[in-house]
Amino acid sequence: MVEPSLRAFPMPPSRNALLETAKASPEIAGRHDKEAWLALYADDAILEDPVGTPASHKGRRPGRLGDELGRFYEAFIAPSSIDMVTRQDIVSDLYVFRAVDIHTTNRKTGLKMKVPANLLYEVAPRGDGLAIRRMQAHWELNRMSRMLMGKGVVGARTIAVMNWSMLRAIGPSWLMSSFKASQQGGGRQGRALVERFAAEIGGGCDDFFAADATVELPRGATASVGEFLDGCTALEVRDMLASGRTVSGLASIEWGARAREAGFIAEIEAGSNRIARLRWFWEA
């Protein structure tokens, strides 16, 4: 998939237009309007929810319940009431990074859950408007599973209801892959790695990165690890979540002699517990 670029627009969309496009997804999901929700997404859209589990592609494997995106809706959105509380929104080029708390209620069991999440939307032009081309939801599947198991009988019943929804809509292969993902990934070790890296900014931080690591900055800029570390004079990270082999969060960063509030996603190299790719999102 081609990275989104402001050059694709004759006139760049406003911050508000980009943010409203991202916000529309949970708002319409909360109203349970399946057709309107699907229409928000570009024809080649990809949804990773949560990151680390198999992605859902719009237009792929159409069937009775729709394509992969339609079946995702049936498995996860249709059975739940959804409300989202924003902690911070960052619009960076054609990306919208949202730190939120997702409040869900299972419509059959009544169980309520609060799920902290970092959501990354990639927005693309479509006709005279905008569409979501990719959405990556970073939340901790293993943590949610432990919370459910701690809810006693209603938690066990909710797990059974959720598993049946996934089996019916997506199938056993996805369910098994999702279970494996909850047992793998960066987890506590990845969060600790990013915390140590941030704490040691200004010292020797090269050892926190893989040999061929990349750092991606707003406006399509890239930097070597050395260039990034030379320009970064202060870094404080918070609200970190490990999803798959990624660690995402919010940060206060001083880079290039400017202080910024930012979102970040660090991809952790398998086996070495080092950062292989570090992506930054901040407003101009």
Side-chain angles (χ1 to χ4, degrees), residues 185-199:
R188 185 180 303 172
Q189 190 177 26
R191 290 195 302 271
L193 169 71
V194 176
E195 285 177 346
R196 293 197 308 273
F197 158 63

mmCIF file with all atom_site columns, all heavy atoms in Angstrom, residues 185-199:
data_model
loop_
_atom_site.group_PDB
_atom_site.id
_atom_site.type_symbol
_atom_site.label_atom_id
_atom_site.label_alt_id
_atom_site.label_comp_id
_atom_site.label_asym_id
_atom_site.label_entity_id
_atom_site.label_seq_id
_atom_site.pdbx_PDB_ins_code
_atom_site.Cartn_x
_atom_site.Cartn_y
_atom_site.Cartn_z
_atom_site.occupancy
_atom_site.B_iso_or_equiv
_atom_site.pdbx_formal_charge
_atom_site.auth_seq_id
_atom_site.auth_comp_id
_atom_site.auth_asym_id
_atom_site.auth_atom_id
_atom_site.pdbx_PDB_model_num
ATOM 1   N N   . GLY A 1 185 ? 3.989  -11.469 21.247 1.00 0.00 ? 185 GLY A N   1
ATOM 2   C CA  . GLY A 1 185 ? 4.153  -10.037 21.075 1.00 0.00 ? 185 GLY A CA  1
ATOM 3   C C   . GLY A 1 185 ? 5.144  -9.434  22.049 1.00 0.00 ? 185 GLY A C   1
ATOM 4   O O   . GLY A 1 185 ? 5.787  -10.128 22.839 1.00 0.00 ? 185 GLY A O   1
ATOM 5   N N   . GLY A 1 186 ? 5.238  -8.083  22.009 1.00 0.00 ? 186 GLY A N   1
ATOM 6   C CA  . GLY A 1 186 ? 6.237  -7.377  22.807 1.00 0.00 ? 186 GLY A CA  1
ATOM 7   C C   . GLY A 1 186 ? 5.923  -7.328  24.280 1.00 0.00 ? 186 GLY A C   1
ATOM 8   O O   . GLY A 1 186 ? 6.783  -7.529  25.132 1.00 0.00 ? 186 GLY A O   1
ATOM 9   N N   . GLY A 1 187 ? 4.650  -7.051  24.629 1.00 0.00 ? 187 GLY A N   1
ATOM 10  C CA  . GLY A 1 187 ? 4.198  -7.064  26.008 1.00 0.00 ? 187 GLY A CA  1
ATOM 11  C C   . GLY A 1 187 ? 5.021  -6.190  26.932 1.00 0.00 ? 187 GLY A C   1
ATOM 12  O O   . GLY A 1 187 ? 5.548  -5.139  26.567 1.00 0.00 ? 187 GLY A O   1
ATOM 13  N N   . ARG A 1 188 ? 5.129  -6.656  28.177 1.00 0.00 ? 188 ARG A N   1
ATOM 14  C CA  . ARG A 1 188 ? 5.828  -5.890  29.212 1.00 0.00 ? 188 ARG A CA  1
ATOM 15  C C   . ARG A 1 188 ? 7.278  -5.616  28.829 1.00 0.00 ? 188 ARG A C   1
ATOM 16  O O   . ARG A 1 188 ? 7.818  -4.546  29.095 1.00 0.00 ? 188 ARG A O   1
ATOM 17  C CB  . ARG A 1 188 ? 5.763  -6.675  30.532 1.00 0.00 ? 188 ARG A CB  1
ATOM 18  C CG  . ARG A 1 188 ? 6.352  -5.933  31.710 1.00 0.00 ? 188 ARG A CG  1
ATOM 19  C CD  . ARG A 1 188 ? 6.253  -6.791  32.964 1.00 0.00 ? 188 ARG A CD  1
ATOM 20  N NE  . ARG A 1 188 ? 4.873  -7.177  33.241 1.00 0.00 ? 188 ARG A NE  1
ATOM 21  C CZ  . ARG A 1 188 ? 4.521  -8.042  34.184 1.00 0.00 ? 188 ARG A CZ  1
ATOM 22  N NH1 . ARG A 1 188 ? 5.452  -8.624  34.924 1.00 0.00 ? 188 ARG A NH1 1
ATOM 23  N NH2 . ARG A 1 188 ? 3.250  -8.328  34.388 1.00 0.00 ? 188 ARG A NH2 1
ATOM 24  N N   . GLN A 1 189 ? 7.922  -6.572  28.173 1.00 0.00 ? 189 GLN A N   1
ATOM 25  C CA  . GLN A 1 189 ? 9.324  -6.402  27.790 1.00 0.00 ? 189 GLN A CA  1
ATOM 26  C C   . GLN A 1 189 ? 9.481  -5.257  26.797 1.00 0.00 ? 189 GLN A C   1
ATOM 27  O O   . GLN A 1 189 ? 10.410 -4.451  26.887 1.00 0.00 ? 189 GLN A O   1
ATOM 28  C CB  . GLN A 1 189 ? 9.843  -7.718  27.182 1.00 0.00 ? 189 GLN A CB  1
ATOM 29  C CG  . GLN A 1 189 ? 11.336 -7.759  26.966 1.00 0.00 ? 189 GLN A CG  1
ATOM 30  C CD  . GLN A 1 189 ? 11.791 -9.108  26.435 1.00 0.00 ? 189 GLN A CD  1
ATOM 31  O OE1 . GLN A 1 189 ? 11.035 -9.836  25.795 1.00 0.00 ? 189 GLN A OE1 1
ATOM 32  N NE2 . GLN A 1 189 ? 13.036 -9.448  26.696 1.00 0.00 ? 189 GLN A NE2 1
ATOM 33  N N   . GLY A 1 190 ? 8.555  -5.158  25.832 1.00 0.00 ? 190 GLY A N   1
ATOM 34  C CA  . GLY A 1 190 ? 8.616  -4.072  24.858 1.00 0.00 ? 190 GLY A CA  1
ATOM 35  C C   . GLY A 1 190 ? 8.374  -2.715  25.488 1.00 0.00 ? 190 GLY A C   1
ATOM 36  O O   . GLY A 1 190 ? 9.059  -1.731  25.165 1.00 0.00 ? 190 GLY A O   1
ATOM 37  N N   . ARG A 1 191 ? 7.406  -2.633  26.391 1.00 0.00 ? 191 ARG A N   1
ATOM 38  C CA  . ARG A 1 191 ? 7.154  -1.359  27.072 1.00 0.00 ? 191 ARG A CA  1
ATOM 39  C C   . ARG A 1 191 ? 8.375  -0.935  27.892 1.00 0.00 ? 191 ARG A C   1
ATOM 40  O O   . ARG A 1 191 ? 8.745  0.247   27.906 1.00 0.00 ? 191 ARG A O   1
ATOM 41  C CB  . ARG A 1 191 ? 5.925  -1.483  27.970 1.00 0.00 ? 191 ARG A CB  1
ATOM 42  C CG  . ARG A 1 191 ? 4.602  -1.616  27.212 1.00 0.00 ? 191 ARG A CG  1
ATOM 43  C CD  . ARG A 1 191 ? 3.414  -1.380  28.111 1.00 0.00 ? 191 ARG A CD  1
ATOM 44  N NE  . ARG A 1 191 ? 3.375  -2.295  29.233 1.00 0.00 ? 191 ARG A NE  1
ATOM 45  C CZ  . ARG A 1 191 ? 2.788  -3.493  29.223 1.00 0.00 ? 191 ARG A CZ  1
ATOM 46  N NH1 . ARG A 1 191 ? 2.186  -3.913  28.117 1.00 0.00 ? 191 ARG A NH1 1
ATOM 47  N NH2 . ARG A 1 191 ? 2.785  -4.262  30.293 1.00 0.00 ? 191 ARG A NH2 1
ATOM 48  N N   . ALA A 1 192 ? 8.996  -1.895  28.560 1.00 0.00 ? 192 ALA A N   1
ATOM 49  C CA  . ALA A 1 192 ? 10.183 -1.578  29.362 1.00 0.00 ? 192 ALA A CA  1
ATOM 50  C C   . ALA A 1 192 ? 11.324 -1.083  28.479 1.00 0.00 ? 192 ALA A C   1
ATOM 51  O O   . ALA A 1 192 ? 12.068 -0.174  28.866 1.00 0.00 ? 192 ALA A O   1
ATOM 52  C CB  . ALA A 1 192 ? 10.610 -2.806  30.167 1.00 0.00 ? 192 ALA A CB  1
ATOM 53  N N   . LEU A 1 193 ? 11.459 -1.673  27.290 1.00 0.00 ? 193 LEU A N   1
ATOM 54  C CA  . LEU A 1 193 ? 12.503 -1.241  26.353 1.00 0.00 ? 193 LEU A CA  1
ATOM 55  C C   . LEU A 1 193 ? 12.316 0.225   25.980 1.00 0.00 ? 193 LEU A C   1
ATOM 56  O O   . LEU A 1 193 ? 13.267 1.022   26.018 1.00 0.00 ? 193 LEU A O   1
ATOM 57  C CB  . LEU A 1 193 ? 12.469 -2.113  25.100 1.00 0.00 ? 193 LEU A CB  1
ATOM 58  C CG  . LEU A 1 193 ? 13.320 -1.644  23.912 1.00 0.00 ? 193 LEU A CG  1
ATOM 59  C CD1 . LEU A 1 193 ? 14.797 -1.826  24.211 1.00 0.00 ? 193 LEU A CD1 1
ATOM 60  C CD2 . LEU A 1 193 ? 12.931 -2.392  22.633 1.00 0.00 ? 193 LEU A CD2 1
ATOM 61  N N   . VAL A 1 194 ? 11.087 0.619   25.625 1.00 0.00 ? 194 VAL A N   1
ATOM 62  C CA  . VAL A 1 194 ? 10.827 2.001   25.219 1.00 0.00 ? 194 VAL A CA  1
ATOM 63  C C   . VAL A 1 194 ? 11.012 2.953   26.403 1.00 0.00 ? 194 VAL A C   1
ATOM 64  O O   . VAL A 1 194 ? 11.545 4.064   26.250 1.00 0.00 ? 194 VAL A O   1
ATOM 65  C CB  . VAL A 1 194 ? 9.412  2.123   24.616 1.00 0.00 ? 194 VAL A CB  1
ATOM 66  C CG1 . VAL A 1 194 ? 9.094  3.576   24.291 1.00 0.00 ? 194 VAL A CG1 1
ATOM 67  C CG2 . VAL A 1 194 ? 9.292  1.263   23.350 1.00 0.00 ? 194 VAL A CG2 1
ATOM 68  N N   . GLU A 1 195 ? 10.605 2.538   27.587 1.00 0.00 ? 195 GLU A N   1
ATOM 69  C CA  . GLU A 1 195 ? 10.808 3.375   28.777 1.00 0.00 ? 195 GLU A CA  1
ATOM 70  C C   . GLU A 1 195 ? 12.296 3.625   29.034 1.00 0.00 ? 195 GLU A C   1
ATOM 71  O O   . GLU A 1 195 ? 12.696 4.750   29.335 1.00 0.00 ? 195 GLU A O   1
ATOM 72  C CB  . GLU A 1 195 ? 10.177 2.702   29.991 1.00 0.00 ? 195 GLU A CB  1
ATOM 73  C CG  . GLU A 1 195 ? 8.660  2.796   30.029 1.00 0.00 ? 195 GLU A CG  1
ATOM 74  C CD  . GLU A 1 195 ? 8.068  2.050   31.214 1.00 0.00 ? 195 GLU A CD  1
ATOM 75  O OE1 . GLU A 1 195 ? 8.805  1.249   31.839 1.00 0.00 ? 195 GLU A OE1 1
ATOM 76  O OE2 . GLU A 1 195 ? 6.876  2.256   31.507 1.00 0.00 ? 195 GLU A OE2 1
ATOM 77  N N   . ARG A 1 196 ? 13.110 2.574   28.912 1.00 0.00 ? 196 ARG A N   1
ATOM 78  C CA  . ARG A 1 196 ? 14.560 2.735   29.135 1.00 0.00 ? 196 ARG A CA  1
ATOM 79  C C   . ARG A 1 196 ? 15.171 3.632   28.072 1.00 0.00 ? 196 ARG A C   1
ATOM 80  O O   . ARG A 1 196 ? 16.014 4.477   28.366 1.00 0.00 ? 196 ARG A O   1
ATOM 81  C CB  . ARG A 1 196 ? 15.253 1.372   29.140 1.00 0.00 ? 196 ARG A CB  1
ATOM 82  C CG  . ARG A 1 196 ? 14.885 0.483   30.319 1.00 0.00 ? 196 ARG A CG  1
ATOM 83  C CD  . ARG A 1 196 ? 15.890 -0.655  30.490 1.00 0.00 ? 196 ARG A CD  1
ATOM 84  N NE  . ARG A 1 196 ? 16.106 -1.416  29.271 1.00 0.00 ? 196 ARG A NE  1
ATOM 85  C CZ  . ARG A 1 196 ? 15.369 -2.457  28.890 1.00 0.00 ? 196 ARG A CZ  1
ATOM 86  N NH1 . ARG A 1 196 ? 14.346 -2.856  29.647 1.00 0.00 ? 196 ARG A NH1 1
ATOM 87  N NH2 . ARG A 1 196 ? 15.630 -3.103  27.773 1.00 0.00 ? 196 ARG A NH2 1
ATOM 88  N N   . PHE A 1 197 ? 14.742 3.457   26.830 1.00 0.00 ? 197 PHE A N   1
ATOM 89  C CA  . PHE A 1 197 ? 15.244 4.287   25.741 1.00 0.00 ? 197 PHE A CA  1
ATOM 90  C C   . PHE A 1 197 ? 14.947 5.763   26.008 1.00 0.00 ? 197 PHE A C   1
ATOM 91  O O   . PHE A 1 197 ? 15.830 6.624   25.905 1.00 0.00 ? 197 PHE A O   1
ATOM 92  C CB  . PHE A 1 197 ? 14.614 3.837   24.419 1.00 0.00 ? 197 PHE A CB  1
ATOM 93  C CG  . PHE A 1 197 ? 14.615 4.875   23.339 1.00 0.00 ? 197 PHE A CG  1
ATOM 94  C CD1 . PHE A 1 197 ? 15.813 5.361   22.827 1.00 0.00 ? 197 PHE A CD1 1
ATOM 95  C CD2 . PHE A 1 197 ? 13.426 5.367   22.825 1.00 0.00 ? 197 PHE A CD2 1
ATOM 96  C CE1 . PHE A 1 197 ? 15.816 6.332   21.835 1.00 0.00 ? 197 PHE A CE1 1
ATOM 97  C CE2 . PHE A 1 197 ? 13.420 6.329   21.837 1.00 0.00 ? 197 PHE A CE2 1
ATOM 98  C CZ  . PHE A 1 197 ? 14.621 6.817   21.343 1.00 0.00 ? 197 PHE A CZ  1
ATOM 99  N N   . ALA A 1 198 ? 13.703 6.072   26.407 1.00 0.00 ? 198 ALA A N   1
ATOM 100 C CA  . ALA A 1 198 ? 13.329 7.458   26.668 1.00 0.00 ? 198 ALA A CA  1
ATOM 101 C C   . ALA A 1 198 ? 14.113 8.025   27.845 1.00 0.00 ? 198 ALA A C   1
ATOM 102 O O   . ALA A 1 198 ? 14.535 9.188   27.821 1.00 0.00 ? 198 ALA A O   1
ATOM 103 C CB  . ALA A 1 198 ? 11.828 7.552   26.935 1.00 0.00 ? 198 ALA A CB  1
ATOM 104 N N   . ALA A 1 199 ? 14.322 7.212   28.864 1.00 0.00 ? 199 ALA A N   1
ATOM 105 C CA  . ALA A 1 199 ? 15.023 7.682   30.065 1.00 0.00 ? 199 ALA A CA  1
ATOM 106 C C   . ALA A 1 199 ? 16.480 8.000   29.788 1.00 0.00 ? 199 ALA A C   1
ATOM 107 O O   . ALA A 1 199 ? 17.090 8.822   30.481 1.00 0.00 ? 199 ALA A O   1
ATOM 108 C CB  . ALA A 1 199 ? 14.912 6.638   31.167 1.00 0.00 ? 199 ALA A CB  1
#
